[in-house]
Amino acid sequence: MMIKTLPQVHIETFGCQMNESDSELVRSLLKQEGFGFTEDRERADVVLVNTCAIRENAHKKIYSHLSELKTLKKHRPLVVGVLGCMAQNLKSELAEKEPLIDVLAGPDSYRQLPRLLANALDAQEEGLKQKAFALDLSEYETYENIMPDRNNGVNAWITVMRGCDNFCSFCVVPYTRGRERSRDPESILLEARDAAVRGFKQITLLGQNVNSYHHGAWDFAKLISAVADQPGIERVRFTSPHPKDFPPALIEAIAAHPRICKHIHLPLQSGSDRILEMMGRTYTGTDYLALVDRIRTIVPDVVLTTDIICGFCSESDEDFQATARLVEQAQLDSAYIFKYSERKNTIAARKYVDDVPDQLKGQRVAKLVEIQRAITAERNRRYIGKAVEVLIEGDATKSSTQGMGKTDGNITVVWDKNTGHSEPGTLLTKHIFDASAATLYGE
Ligand code: SAH
Ligand code: SF4
Ligand code: F3S
């Protein structure tokens, strides 16, 4: 292969933080091989789309995005690569449906990307039409010797484990990201030190099942404490943990270390034991509440958030009421609530019928959102009159005259910039005078 001018790559990322982190890896891998990057899609020789497959909506968003690229490709040469979970999930079916795609690469195949893209650019120049796929999942790939090319900001993502072995019956992740594997702790600490030197104030440890991290004598409690000990790092977060992997040592590590944030995202999925069993979640509603209590006893000011699915196969009104009751009982700080979306190849798709009408799923989501919103608003009001420590991230999304930052519990705080200094990455104390279900207002 011969690269004549530096080909410019534009990358667009959909899906979860693990995809954000993977896009930073991809950028690093491609830059090492002489590719350039551009923020401007119009000027790109290669457009990469890093995709998500978690719900049908995610697929739809990407299909409509790909049709925009089709228009772009009509007018000029362009190599289009689809990466990530949807590429892995739909494989060649996706490439056949979408003639515009030149390269497909799944989450474990990114080391092959420089070669595949260079070949695709050569083929395009010679007027050849060919497609290349790299879709093998690996039991070992952790990309541990690659330093990601990070986005600017206050937060550095560090992927500490990949894949998932839980096979929750609704979930596509084990099929798109393969078997669970943990990264060498030394390479993680090296990355944490590098992030600190580059001025990142916060590290978020990532994995689809992050607290089941284990490598030799290292478990997640030991890892997160060691990362938080790195000088220069103000805050350490993690996502997403599974409720089954919360030994006392982990809860105690979170409580004990001043730089580990007191925020735990604890996906519930359902409050009905029958549905939890069908989902393969391995806990009951009672177990979940007991865990919430245990965490709150050891980490008194903890902020707890969750994910819930409405309308899973055979979910009755009674099952839904059990979820609503559990949400009332748990009094969590906030929740992401989703309509169940059947995913191809999953256990639920093979064993159960997706029989809750879409409209009813929607009604249940709306009901639960309303219940949680009231709880969140009430929970946020407890900060009124208090001083909270905020890590400044930048301008508020709604107005550049307002600054925005996060509390240790990951709650958004906004304030008028003229009432104080707003340099991103600074830790400041803000006095909270008002609160809504989404935001605390500080001065
Ligand atoms: N690894 C995390 C979840 C990753 S996916 C965990 O174990 O909790 C993020 C959230 O998407 C899940 O918690 C679940 O609530 C939701 N989700 C996953 N598959 C889904 C599906 N098929 N339909 C609707 N929501 C789904
Ligand atoms: Fe999906 Fe369950 Fe794994 Fe989370 S733990 S990624 S929900 S299979
Ligand atoms: Fe989506 Fe894959 Fe993340 S399916 S949620 S991008 S792991």
Side-chain angles (χ1 to χ4, degrees):
M1 117 190 149
M2 225 178 75
I3 299 178
K4 287 153 211 134
T5 52
L6 207 63
Q8 296 294 305
V9 181
H10 176 74
I11 184 161
E12 290 160 359
T13 307
F14 295 80
C16 66
Q17 296 95 332
M18 273 142 272
N19 262 14
E20 294 289 338
S21 167
D22 280 357
S23 288
E24 296 180 343
L25 268 180
V26 163
R27 221 162 41 210
S28 170
L29 280 162
L30 287 171
K31 279 187 174 173
Q32 276 173 25
E33 297 295 326
F35 288 83
F37 274 80
T38 170
E39 295 290 316
D40 181 5
R41 184 166 84 180
E42 305 300 319
R43 289 185 44 230
D45 306 300
V46 177
V47 173
L48 298 178
V49 189
N50 196 358
T51 62
C52 174
I54 201 80
R55 286 169 287 275
E56 195 51 32
N57 274 350
H59 276 193
K60 278 196 191 131
K61 238 201 243 158
I62 288 153
Y63 278 124
S64 82
H65 191 74
L66 289 176
S67 62
E68 280 174 36
L69 292 181
K70 219 174 284 171
T71 320
L72 201 64
K73 197 169 172 164
K74 250 188 219 141
H75 304 296
R76 63 182 182 81
L78 180 68
V79 166
V80 175
V82 177
L83 318 180
C85 292
M86 186 179 173
Q88 190 69 45
N89 194 31
L90 299 185
K91 302 199 165 71
S92 43
E93 180 191 322
L94 179 65
E96 277 152 27
K97 256 211 264 183
E98 294 288 341
L100 103 141
I101 298 172
D102 302 291
V103 170
L104 274 186
D108 286 344
S109 306
Y110 297 146
R111 286 182 201 267
Q112 297 181 52
L113 259 185
R115 180 176 53 83
L116 297 179
L117 293 179
N119 289 348
L121 285 162
D122 286 349
Q124 179 178 268
E125 199 154 291
E126 288 161 30
L128 301 173
K129 191 79 202 125
Q130 62 183 37
K131 286 178 187 290
F133 305 143
L135 296 164
D136 290 330
L137 288 172
S138 154
E139 288 176 31
Y140 310 103
E141 180 62 272
T142 58
Y143 300 106
E144 61 190 13
N145 54 353
I146 298 164
M147 200 55 86
D149 182 47
R150 298 185 192 286
N151 289 329
N152 295 330
V154 300
N155 178 72
W157 309 113
I158 300 185
T159 299
V160 302
M161 53 89 69
R162 300 182 71 89
C164 180
D165 284 349
N166 286 337
F167 288 92
C168 301
S169 65
F170 53 82
C171 184
V172 77
V173 170
Y175 308 90
T176 66
R177 287 184 167 264
R179 298 289 56 76
E180 183 179 310
R181 66 217 97 122
S182 294
R183 237 177 105 175
D184 183 337
E186 288 310 323
S187 83
I188 296 168
L189 293 175
L190 192 74
E191 224 181 283
R193 282 193 285 272
D194 179 78
V197 167
R198 288 169 196 274
F200 289 93
K201 295 294 173 205
Q202 172 176 292
I203 284 178
T204 305
L205 303 181
L206 295 178
Q208 277 299 355
N209 195 359
V210 71
N211 53 338
S212 83
Y213 175 89
H214 56 96
H215 193 284
W218 289 68
D219 62 5
F220 190 65
K222 184 167 176 191
L223 178 74
I224 192 168
S225 304
V227 170
D229 281 339
Q230 300 307 312
I233 295 301
E234 304 282 1
R235 286 182 171 180
V236 180
R237 302 185 180 283
F238 60 102
T239 201
S240 258
H242 190 293
K244 76 177 168 57
D245 295 311
F246 268 100
L250 175 55
I251 308 176
E252 279 152 20
I254 297 169
H257 206 299
R259 291 191 291 280
I260 301 179
C261 290
K262 306 319 177 228
H263 167 221
I264 301 178
H265 184 65
L266 204 58
L268 167 66
Q269 313 303 2
S270 170
S272 153
D273 290 346
R274 189 181 71 84
I275 297 289
L276 283 170
E277 162 98 47
M278 286 173 70
M279 287 176 161
R281 291 291 289 183
T282 71
Y283 53 83
T284 62
T286 312
D287 297 336
Y288 185 92
L289 285 174
L291 176 60
V292 166
D293 273 351
R294 218 157 45 236
I295 293 174
R296 283 184 173 146
T297 306
I298 304 176
V299 197
D301 290 328
V302 71
V303 169
L304 293 173
T305 57
T306 198
D307 292 340
I308 298 170
I309 297 175
C310 289
F312 184 66
C313 311
S314 83
E315 186 186 77
S316 64
D317 271 329
E318 211 177 299
D319 294 314
F320 175 68
Q321 289 312 327
T323 304
R325 255 195 325 273
L326 203 143
V327 166
E328 296 273 13
Q329 277 172 299
Q331 294 282 306
L332 303 177
D333 292 272
S334 73
Y336 295 99
I337 301 166
F338 307 105
K339 283 202 266 186
Y340 171 60
S341 169
E342 185 177 83
R343 310 319 290 140
K344 215 176 81 172
N345 298 328
T346 55
I347 297 166
R350 284 180 272 137
K351 271 177 62 179
Y352 308 128
V353 186
D354 179 16
D355 55 359
V356 177
D358 190 65
Q359 204 191 354
L360 185 55
K361 288 179 184 170
Q363 285 167 9
R364 287 179 182 167
V365 168
K367 181 76 199 143
L368 219 48
V369 165
E370 189 189 314
I371 295 172
Q372 182 60 51
R373 209 180 156 74
I375 297 171
T376 301
E378 182 56 39
R379 301 268 312 156
N380 282 353
R381 275 198 289 276
R382 78 195 145 122
Y383 295 103
I384 296 177
K386 298 221 170 97
V388 297
E389 190 174 68
V390 176
L391 181 63
I392 299 178
E393 292 193 359
D395 288 348
T397 19
K398 285 187 190 147
S399 152
S400 60
T401 63
Q402 286 185 317
M404 187 276 282
K406 294 281 172 69
T407 67
D408 176 282
N410 209 29
I411 302 174
T412 300
V413 181
V414 303
W415 59 89
D416 279 335
K417 279 210 268 196
N418 57 21
T419 69
H421 142 109
S422 290
E423 188 62 37
T426 318
L427 275 172
L428 274 187
T429 302
K430 293 282 171 192
H431 296 271
I432 304 303
F433 65 88
D434 199 4
S436 72
T439 313
L440 307 181
Y441 299 91
E443 57 192 356

